[in-house]
Amino acid sequence: MSNTLPAWFWIAYYLFLAITIGVSIYNLSNRKSIRLSLLVIWIAITVPIVGLLNSIGRFDELNEFQHLVSELQQGLLWAWYVCSGYLILVVWWITLFLKVRTHQKKSVAR
């Protein structure tokens, strides 16, 4: 049987992706950052697919993260895409939280 990450990780991972897609769709419906929201939706959908498809043939002793790091060290394009996609999603969430926090401070100051 293949080595894999714990179930709690997968629950948190897919919850993160689902909430990301949901917030992006909400932003689209409110006409906020349309291009960025479309990009985030695209990345949140394609990154897990690319990661899954390229993790299918991994060695049994490696889990998904170890396989990704190994492939990244070899300089494979799919691994760079996946890591860049995750980085974009994290940066998007940070900027979103900072915008909300700034907006709340302005509302309280009024």
Side-chain angles (χ1 to χ4, degrees):
M1 186 169 146
S2 255
N3 196 8
T4 190
L5 294 167
W8 65 264
F9 172 83
W10 292 114
I11 292 168
Y13 174 74
Y14 286 113
L15 189 61
F16 169 76
L17 291 174
I19 292 171
T20 300
I21 292 170
V23 171
S24 293
I25 290 171
Y26 176 78
N27 284 346
L28 278 176
S29 68
N30 287 337
R31 306 245 184 245
K32 294 180 182 177
S33 305
I34 294 174
R35 289 183 183 165
L36 185 59
S37 295
L38 288 172
L39 176 67
V40 167
I41 291 170
W42 173 259
I43 290 171
I45 292 172
T46 60
V47 163
I49 293 171
V50 169
L52 174 70
L53 292 176
N54 287 290
S55 292
I56 289 175
R58 72 181 193 278
F59 295 115
D60 285 342
E61 56 273 353
L62 297 177
N63 65 31
E64 293 83 357
F65 179 73
Q66 293 167 334
H67 179 67
L68 176 63
V69 171
S70 170
E71 300 288 294
L72 187 62
Q73 289 172 342
Q74 295 177 25
L76 294 176
L77 185 61
W78 77 266
W80 281 102
Y81 174 72
V82 168
C83 288
S84 299
Y86 290 140
L87 181 62
I88 290 169
L89 293 179
V90 168
V91 168
W92 180 78
W93 271 108
I94 291 170
T95 57
L96 185 69
F97 282 131
L98 291 176
K99 283 181 185 179
V100 168
R101 194 170 136 212
T102 304
H103 181 70
Q104 286 177 346
K105 284 184 179 180
K106 286 180 182 178
S107 297
V108 171
R110 289 183 189 177

